Amino acid sequence: MNPGSGAPTPRVEPVPGEPAATATVDGDRALLVADYHAGYEAGLRYERGVDVPSQAPDRRERLLSLLERTAADRLVVCGDLMHSIGDPGGAERGELEVLLESVPSTVEVTVVKGNHDGQLETWFGADAADAVDRPNPDLATVTVVPGDGVTLDGVGVCHGHTWPAPDVLESDVVCLGHEHPCVRLEDEVGGSRVERAWLRGRLDPAPFREYGGYDDAAISWLESPDLEPPRVVVVPAFNDLVGGTWVNVPNQSFLSPFLPDGIADGEAYLLDGTRLGPYRDV
């Protein structure tokens, strides 16, 4: 969909107080989340020797509650549903199985493959609509799409660890995860805290032109300066243990190859909806 076509713009609305948003996709109400990182606690033990009690039940209940609260017909995960780089196993596989067994059968699940999602698509089967070869046919039907993303009725969703697909960049709004945006807030007496945040703005054409990977893609707003680039929403991590990029601290390295330069007039918002203004000035 051409961002400058004058067609109705899909609305991506944050759920107040939650690292999740809703959107209308093909007439359905979709719940968007990013960076669930199932099995993260097991990863901490293996990778860092840190023993943290599993919060899998809490994560699951929070997500199921959001599906019910928003009356969602569809769940869209913008990457990193799981934490391991390879095949899901052990506690991670158990967490995913219980989660997907708990998702109502009426809810369609789409997972954009993140850099932590390993061989997730082989676990669900090559064809999500064909349960014959799936390890557990009783799980919710899941469609896994590549990490560079897909367009869902004018909403482009990708993970953010790689450059988005051309059709995603022709969407009206692009939603991505991967960055785990946070802001570091200080009080008058020198105390500080870190909170998850949303980043919102518009894509800046400059880094996408410099990248060179879209030279043959004929992306409308890269070819014509009269067309406005898509809006962009960087979704905070659903998993509150994973940390992230402190976007308002100078010299922080962003994770995405097109951030921060790829977002123009970017503003930060807390989960409760508080508008902080330009994220660099917070």
Side-chain angles (χ1 to χ4, degrees):
M1 185 178 295
N2 187 332
S5 65
T9 301
R11 296 183 65 84
V12 175
E13 295 290 346
V15 179
E18 302 289 349
T22 58
T24 300
V25 173
D26 296 323
D28 291 336
R29 189 165 179 83
L31 179 71
L32 279 71
V33 300
D35 299 291
Y36 190 90
H37 285 274
Y40 182 71
E41 296 84 352
L44 283 178
R45 287 192 295 273
Y46 177 77
E47 298 163 9
R48 305 181 191 178
V50 177
D51 191 9
V52 177
S54 174
Q55 296 187 17
D58 175 66
R59 274 192 296 273
R60 181 177 68 253
E61 291 307 313
R62 284 194 294 124
L63 184 59
L64 294 175
S65 176
L66 278 169
L67 287 170
E68 181 177 4
R69 172 180 166 188
T70 60
D73 308 292
R74 189 168 188 167
L75 172 64
V76 179
V77 182
C78 299
D80 287 357
L81 173 62
M82 68 180 200
H83 182 66
S84 71
I85 302 298
D87 292 334
E92 180 178 55
R93 178 170 293 216
E95 179 176 352
L96 286 175
E97 286 186 338
V98 174
L99 171 66
L100 295 174
E101 287 170 352
S102 303
V103 171
S105 60
T106 55
V107 175
E108 180 182 350
V109 182
T110 300
V111 179
V112 178
K113 188 177 176 183
N115 56 304
H116 278 273
D117 283 322
Q119 301 301 314
L120 186 68
E121 72 279 11
T122 62
W123 186 50
F124 290 125
D127 184 349
D130 182 1
V132 174
D133 296 321
R134 294 171 64 203
N136 188 344
D138 294 328
L139 297 183
T141 298
V142 178
T143 300
V144 180
V145 301
D148 60 359
V150 66
T151 299
L152 304 172
D153 195 20
V155 179
V157 290
C158 61
H159 182 53
H161 67 300
T162 188
W163 294 86
D167 64 320
V168 171
L169 294 180
E170 287 283 18
S171 304
D172 296 299
V173 56
V174 176
C175 299
L176 61 128
H178 186 56
E179 201 65 53
H180 307 181
C182 301
V183 290
R184 183 175 183 270
L185 303 176
E186 296 184 356
D187 58 30
E188 296 177 352
V189 295
S192 66
R193 70 184 192 276
V194 175
E195 294 197 22
R196 287 173 291 174
W198 298 84
L199 287 186
R200 299 173 66 179
R202 285 199 179 269
L203 291 180
D204 190 315
F208 294 90
R209 291 194 179 107
E210 294 170 3
Y211 166 55
Y214 302 111
D215 291 347
D216 299 324
I219 296 171
S220 59
W221 52 275
L222 289 179
E223 294 190 339
S224 174
D226 296 329
L227 294 178
E228 198 168 40
R231 291 180 293 124
V232 59
V233 177
V234 185
V235 182
F238 190 85
N239 190 319
D240 55 8
L241 296 178
V242 296
T245 303
W246 297 3
V247 299
N248 64 326
V249 175
N251 302 317
Q252 283 281 296
S253 296
F254 280 63
L255 302 175
S256 174
F258 53 90
L259 294 180
D261 295 340
I263 183 170
D265 302 321
E267 293 193 323
Y269 296 76
L270 297 181
L271 297 190
D272 65 4
T274 301
R275 180 181 179 182
L276 301 177
Y279 71 88
R280 290 185 176 91
D281 301 332
V282 174

